[in-house]
Amino acid sequence: MYEAPRIVRPLLAAALAFFLAACSTESEPTASQRPATPVAAFEAQTRDLSRPLRLAAPVEPRSLIRLAARTEGTVREVLQEEGAQVTRGQLLARLDVSEAEAELQRTEAELASARLDYERAVELRRRGVATELEFQTARVAMEVAESHRALWASRAAYGRVEAPQSSTVVARHIEPGEAVQSQDTLFELADLQQLVLRLGVSEMDVVHLAPDQTIPLRFDALPELALEGRIRRIFPAAQGTSRLTSVEVSLPEGAYEQGVRPGFLARIDTRIDLRPDTLVVPSAALGNDAEGHYLYLIEDDRLRRRAVEIGIVRGRWTQITAGLAEGELILASNPIDMSDDQAVRVVTLHE
């Protein structure tokens, strides 16, 4: 077999390496030499990225008083029913407390006798006839009689069921002749001029709410009525299981006269964390590597890598805070498989 001279061998190896490199270059063209890749594009634009707040809750009285019996007995009479407007101290019902009333009469008689004995002891002491012990005994006996009378007077008063404040009777749970036990609920009272909603708000939304903030309200039962509520208070902690924070919204005075009733469903459909003109791109168009966030601009049918800074993310949109101007055309799809200066052909323009 023929062998090339030793001086020729290095030349042949160099030529072979050059030939292989040339073949490799021809088989793997650069990004600028590749055929144009069809892509979807997006024109950078501003959108309203304000956070939507949509909630519903029943209307409730701000304070609901469940008036309970303070003693056991039989209902003697009921003087008020649902819908009645009552004033503070007005009699709502009477319970039969005959035993307590009889004991009250007995203690009143005992008190009258004790007072006479005390007055006699005072006079005898003044004359020097009664001893100090006799005087003190009479005084203590009168004080004991007074305490007994006060005890039975309070028990007899338990038979009077009175309104603790001016309000409206929203529920009655007793009828004449019915036997009740101590702590049984007899009436429910509410001030219908102070109506509220108690909403469960997520942690993502409650941070954008504050006391005295106004909230638009609509009602399923009154579709033509639109009212403006006010956040009265935000509870200090979220509930353990649901992680929702209670927010109390006061309805304006006069809502009851306009037809709003406790139990009606109220709806809130508004926006919070207002961001009306925010420059955005599709979140899918963003890449992220060691250098930070980036996307690809489309200029003269070629991709140009551009570093950007991002802000909030809402749904499929991401806010761009730096590195991009409104109206610039960008690659709308995932940029991970693309490269700088790559030739592209826009076939779809996303909105």
Side-chain angles (χ1 to χ4, degrees), residues 203-225:
E203 59 188 23
M204 302 298 292
D205 293 328
V206 76
V207 295
H208 301 296
L209 301 178
D212 292 327
Q213 185 175 341
T214 56
I215 300 289
L217 305 175
R218 307 287 299 195
F219 304 88
D220 287 2
L222 304 167
E224 297 181 358
L225 180 63

Side-chain angles (χ1 to χ4, degrees), residues 56-76:
V59 176
E60 303 176 32
R62 195 180 85 178
S63 61
L64 180 66
I65 300 174
R66 294 178 175 86
L67 197 57
R70 296 181 291 173
T71 185
E72 62 181 20
T74 303
V75 179
R76 182 180 294 175

Side-chain angles (χ1 to χ4, degrees), residues 69 71-80 91-105 155-161 172-181 186-187:
T71 185
E72 62 181 20
T74 303
V75 179
R76 182 180 294 175
E77 61 178 332
V78 179
L79 303 175
Q80 305 295 339
L91 187 63
L92 306 180
R94 287 192 180 92
L95 304 181
D96 186 356
V97 287
S98 302
E99 182 179 353
E101 291 171 345
E103 287 292 337
L104 175 60
Q105 291 179 358
R155 291 184 178 180
Y158 290 169
R160 292 177 57 87
V161 181
R172 183 188 73 174
H173 300 287
I174 55 172
E175 295 291 342
E178 185 176 353
V180 297
Q181 300 295 319
L186 308 180
F187 294 91

Side-chain angles (χ1 to χ4, degrees), residues 16-69:
L16 180 60
F18 178 80
F19 176 75
L20 292 176
C23 292
S24 175
T25 302
E26 290 178 2
S27 61
E28 296 182 6
T30 64
S32 61
Q33 295 172 333
R34 293 172 189 164
T37 303
V39 296
F42 176 80
E43 185 177 320
Q45 58 186 254
T46 60
R47 285 178 175 265
D48 186 356
L49 284 197
S50 302
R51 189 174 183 84
L53 181 67
R54 298 183 180 92
L55 298 169
V59 176
E60 303 176 32
R62 195 180 85 178
S63 61
L64 180 66
I65 300 174
R66 294 178 175 86
L67 197 57

